[in-house]
Each structure stands twice: as C-alpha cells, then as structure tokens.
Amino acid sequence: GESVGLHLPTLSVQEGDNSIINCAYSNSASDYFIWYKQESGKGPQFIIDIRSNMDKRQGQRVTVLLNKTVKHLSLQIAATQPGDSAVYFCAEISGATNKLIFGTGTLLAVQP
Amino acid sequence: DAGVTQSPTHLIKTRGQQVTLRCSPKSGHDTVSWYQQALGQGPQFIFQYYEEEERQRGNFPDRFSGHQFPNYSSELNVNALLLGDSALYLCASSTPQGMATYEQYFGPGTRLTVT
C-alpha cells in the first residue's frame, strides 16, 4: 500500500548547525510532496513543497531535495535555531487528489 | 484574517458515546479535510468535503461521518466511541478546486480522549 516513512525518529543538533531530515515514500505515482512542521499543541504548519518534476527547491533557510529514483525526500534546514525544534512530517499527494499521506514524523531537537 | 479554527479544544467522552467536532475553514477556502493523529504518529486522512459532499475517504469505518455546510464549515461525527478513537483530530482547509496549489492549512486540532 501507499506509505511515507521517515528514517530517523529523533534528530538532535546544535544551534547554528545545518539539519537534514530524511523521508522515504513508496508511491511512485505521487506528484507532489510537502514538508510540515508541527509544534507541541499546534496543527501542522506548511514549510515547503516540491512537485515531482523537480529535484530541488529552496525557501528561506530550507531546501527540499527529491530523488525519484530511490523515492527519497529530504529537508535541509540551514543554521538551525531553537525555534526550529518541532516534529517534522513529510507528506505526499497521489495523483489528482488532495488526500495527504503523512509519514510518522521526526522530532528535531535543537541544543543551544 | 482568521485561519482554520476548530472547536472544542479538548473533549473527554466515554466508550459508546457519540461526539461532534467542528471546523471553520480559512477565509476563501471551500474544501475541508479531516485527519486523525494518534500520539507520536503522522495525521491519517479521514475524509474530505467539497460542495457539501464527501469527495474522498480514507480507511475509516462508517462510525466516522461528516457534514459540510453552505458556509463551508464542517463537522466530524464519531459514533460508538472506542478507546482507540482517542487522538488529535485535525481539520485542514484548502483553496478552491482547480487552483494550482495543494497547500492545506491546518487548524490547532481537537484533542479527544475516550475513557
């Protein structure tokens, strides 16, 4: 079946370092991928997205990389800050639907 | 401009009871999706409403039902509650169908505890 999973459940980094959060997906028909950030007690917050016809997209301090050959997605956060501490989810949308399929999540802990 | 709002914030119910959760989408959005998020897990898609009809459904039993009103707000109903229904229920709204974006805006969720 369709699934989106994460390799690392917890990632601890030092403030100022770069963070890389990885995600594997199984549905090659997915044509859109999104990274969400979820802070405690809040709903997921959109960070950045990428379409399947792209392999890289940059935002403010964040970069998403897509490798369709190995069905792998990553989120890079530059100069990680304490405010980046949260759970990060990758999600995919299959085909023409608006049905998001989420992975389990990675907890990013930024040490001051 | 208010974002997605949900009510109530927290709710405690007993097994076998019924519950109704409410959601108001972000201004200008006409599509509402509901998700269930168990502790430590990613959100799981329940269903999506557009034009007051259920457009898509995830792998949830018929105990889960919903409704969308003419003002685009939505309700999620769960009947015959089970302990396993305890979770954070998230509502997400998205831009009108046909827009070239899949971005969904999430509300803060309703924490449901079934005892």
Side-chain angles (χ1 to χ4, degrees), chain A:
Chain A
E2 301 171 350
S3 68
V4 176
L6 298 176
H7 297 303
L8 299 174
T10 305
L11 178 63
S12 183
V13 300
Q14 292 294 125
E15 181 178 358
D17 287 351
N18 296 333
S19 302
I20 299 177
I21 302 172
N22 297 303
C23 173
Y25 65 95
S26 60
N27 188 355
S28 58
S30 293
D31 56 9
Y32 188 74
F33 303 89
I34 308 171
W35 280 101
Y36 281 94
K37 172 186 180 182
Q38 187 173 24
E39 297 174 283
S40 181
K42 297 182 179 180
Q45 176 188 359
F46 175 92
I47 301 174
I48 191 168
D49 59 7
I50 188 168
R51 294 186 182 274
S52 61
N53 61 356
M54 303 170 66
D55 53 20
K56 180 178 180 179
R57 191 172 185 208
Q58 289 185 297
Q60 188 175 19
R61 283 202 306 119
V62 295
T63 300
V64 55
L65 299 177
L66 175 63
N67 186 332
K68 294 182 289 295
T69 302
V70 296
K71 298 179 186 174
H72 185 266
L73 193 68
S74 69
L75 175 70
Q76 300 178 359
I77 304 174
T80 312
Q81 303 169 1
D84 294 327
S85 294
V87 177
Y88 289 80
F89 295 97
C90 64
E92 63 178 312
I93 293 180
S94 298
T97 72
N98 250 357
K99 173 184 171 181
L100 282 171
I101 301 171
F102 283 84
T104 304
T106 291
L107 173 61
L108 177 64
V110 182
Q111 309 301 322

Side-chain angles (χ1 to χ4, degrees), chain B residues 1-5 25-29 105:
Chain B
D1 175 29
V4 179
T5 60
K26 182 177 172 63
S27 178
H29 287 186
Y105 293 80

Side-chain angles (χ1 to χ4, degrees), chain B residues 46-60:
Chain B
I46 302 175
F47 43 53
Q48 182 182 89
Y49 277 84
Y50 170 67
E51 291 189 340
E52 303 179 48
E53 292 187 356
E54 184 182 293
R55 289 284 294 267
Q56 301 177 63
R57 190 178 182 91
N59 296 323
F60 280 81

Side-chain angles (χ1 to χ4, degrees), chain B residues 29 33 69:
Chain B
H29 287 186
S33 302
F69 299 94

